[in-house]
């Protein structure tokens, strides 16, 4: 993700997360000032998805992920997450964590398909409706090696 991508990313962000969306300044700060941040976009003539991660020594953390509503159901989130996990492994990260709404069964299924496990509940994690989040962890990233098939 580059600064030039932010207008498109913000349109998707507002479409996908109208009550809890990140602001343009949040992404700008991540891209320009956070040395741990790694943000990627998925393009098909236009930006149709994005993912953000932090690579902090041996630990990767998914900070955000989204696929355009009109392109959901095409397994693009699997492609995007697989690519990001591969990049984390190549960077030297050994495991990955993320938070997900307890009601987001589709995302939970995606994460479980990659080997993430529910490890804890973060009470009232989401400020827009005080919903809980699962803390999910994938204990090993070394199973991605150099597989670029994602």
């Amino acid at each position: 993700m580059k600064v030039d991508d932010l207008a498109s990313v913000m349109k998707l962000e507002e479409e996908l997360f109208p009550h809890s969306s990140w602001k343009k300044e949040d992404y700008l700060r991540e891209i320009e000032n956070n040395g741990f941040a790694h943000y990627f976009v998925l393009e098909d003539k236009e930006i149709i998805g994005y993912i953000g991660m932090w690579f902090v020594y041996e630990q990767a953390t998914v900070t955000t992920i989204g696929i355009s509503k009109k392109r959901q159901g095409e397994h693009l989130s699997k492609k995007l997450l697989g690519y990001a996990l591969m990049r984390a492994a190549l960077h030297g990260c050994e495991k990955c964590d993320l938070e997900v709404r307890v009601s987001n069964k589709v995302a939970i299924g995606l994460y479980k398909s990659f080997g993430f496990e529910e490890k804890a509940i973060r009470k009232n994690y989401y400020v827009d409706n005080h919903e809980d989040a699962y803390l999910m962890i994938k204990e090993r990233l070394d199973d991605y090696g150099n597989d670029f098939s994602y």
Side-chain angles (χ1 to χ4, degrees):
M1 185 183 297
K2 302 178 298 263
V3 172
D4 292 347
D5 297 329
L6 289 181
S8 297
V9 169
M10 291 314 304
K11 286 180 185 174
L12 286 176
E13 182 76 14
E14 291 163 11
E15 169 194 338
L16 298 168
F17 309 109
H19 301 293
S20 62
S21 63
W22 285 32
K23 307 291 183 258
K24 183 177 181 180
E25 296 78 28
D26 299 325
Y27 282 104
L28 196 57
R29 185 173 48 253
E30 288 288 279
I31 292 169
E32 293 186 330
N33 299 320
N34 184 346
F36 298 113
H38 299 266
Y39 284 73
F40 309 102
V41 295
L42 181 61
E43 296 179 273
D44 183 11
K45 299 182 183 135
E46 63 182 355
I47 293 175
I48 56 172
Y50 57 92
I51 188 168
M53 297 182 83
W54 290 354
F55 300 166
V56 182
Y57 304 105
E58 74 284 348
Q59 180 74 34
T61 299
V62 176
T63 58
T64 188
I65 184 171
I67 298 290
S68 169
K69 285 186 179 184
K70 65 184 175 188
R71 299 296 299 269
Q72 290 178 3
E74 298 179 31
H75 305 287
L76 298 173
S77 56
K78 184 173 185 174
K79 180 177 281 203
L80 191 57
L81 181 59
Y83 176 78
L85 290 172
M86 179 195 61
R87 290 287 300 263
L90 293 174
H91 190 78
C93 295
E94 299 170 4
K95 59 181 164 178
C96 185
D97 65 49
L98 57 85
E99 284 92 8
V100 59
R101 289 178 187 270
V102 296
S103 65
N104 193 342
K105 303 301 182 201
V106 173
I108 292 167
L110 169 70
Y111 302 140
K112 284 184 175 181
S113 77
F114 276 89
F116 283 86
E117 298 177 350
E118 299 163 7
K119 296 292 187 174
I121 293 182
R122 305 241 197 252
K123 293 289 186 185
N124 299 313
Y125 184 79
Y126 292 97
V127 297
D128 61 324
N129 66 352
H130 305 288
E131 185 174 356
D132 297 344
Y134 288 124
L135 169 64
M136 298 186 77
I137 298 175
K138 179 175 176 53
E139 294 289 347
R140 293 184 50 202
L141 294 185
D142 60 356
D143 52 348
Y144 286 93
N146 291 316
D147 181 0
F148 289 90
S149 64
Y150 297 104

